[in-house]
Amino acid sequence: MSRSPRPFSDYHTRLQRVSDFIHDHLDQPLNMVQLAELACLSPEHWHRIYAAFFGETMAATVKRLRLQRAAAFLAQSTLPIQQVALQSGYPNVQSFTRTFSNAYGLPPAQYRQGGQHAVFHYTQPQYQDGVFDVRHVEITSIAVISVPHQGSFMGISKAFGTLYGWLGAHQVNAEGLRCLGIYHDDPFAVEESALRSHACVAPEADTLQQVNITPPLERCTIAGGHYAVLHYCGPYASMHAAYRWLFGYWLPQSGWEVADNPVFEDYLNSPQDTAPADLRTDIYMPLRNPV
């Protein structure tokens, strides 16, 4: 008996439920059978479909996101390490320390004191030595396909999961696409729950015109103009320290003023196949001449 082929979008809808559930329950045990039921797929085979859609296994997604959350807690809070482990889904400090050390190259306590974020701290002697190169560029506007996100900037990975899942479901080849994040608000001035950002890809113009964009995806544009670009190497969780240096030290002594457009980040490699210490990101700050 012949069957009509199941559309990609149907699989995408069901697997997106799984992806959203994972992002929202990282601090809880995740059961493969429960996730299979959520996707309405066979418990024996659904994870193969997940890996085909999202480019990594479900286990790899969970591990990467839990460690990313833990690194953010370590770099940006004073939570005790046991609490960091529990809130990142690890049952005890021992298993958390072992897994974190393997991924980040340092045990949690040492990472908190000496991770990549530490070199941007104002008490470090190299803080004012100019070793952090900032280049100036003029860019034309960039048309992007995006998914909006509201909440912690570290949670934008959920929007990227939605974005890449949608592209896969609509058979848009995401390999080689420029991956960008737009950040509209200052996390030091706006409540975390109200922070606005967009997860983006920048396809070629002809591809952009051919794709029928449907919610939650949006078309938007990154404004052209003059930007200062800081090249950052290291975990996303430590990037807040680079922003603090860029806005708090470099900008006041640069002779420029920050323009009204949002900052954006250009992700030069992927956390799916790159160690956290080797992630490379260009941070773009919009500039204007002083009044």
Side-chain angles (χ1 to χ4, degrees), residues 1 17 28 39 46-47 60 67 87 93 98 121 127 138-139 141 147 155 158 188 201 208 220 236 245 267 269 273 291:
M1 182 173 61
R17 291 200 297 266
Q28 301 174 18
W46 80 272
H47 52 281
L67 289 176
Q87 290 190 215
V93 172
R98 182 173 59 253
H121 196 274
Y127 190 84
E138 290 281 345
I139 69 169
S141 61
V147 172
K158 182 177 180 180
F188 297 103
V201 292
L208 190 64
C220 59
Y236 299 145
W245 179 86
Y267 306 108
N269 51 13
D273 56 14
V291 177

Side-chain angles (χ1 to χ4, degrees), residues 8 10 35 67 70 75 117 177 196:
F8 277 87
D10 180 65
L35 294 177
L67 289 176
H117 54 283
L177 291 184
R196 297 166 301 139

Side-chain angles (χ1 to χ4, degrees), residues 4 27 43 89 94 103 105 109 145 148 150 152 210-211 221 228 230 277 280 286:
S4 301
D27 58 342
Q94 291 76 18
I145 299 173
Q150 184 167 322
S152 168
Q210 293 170 11
V211 176
T221 302
L230 171 65
R280 296 184 297 114

Side-chain angles (χ1 to χ4, degrees), residues 111-127:
Y111 177 81
R112 169 169 274 168
Q113 296 300 319
Q116 280 90 337
H117 54 283
V119 301
F120 287 96
H121 196 274
Y122 69 91
T123 61
Q124 295 299 317
Q126 70 267 39
Y127 190 84

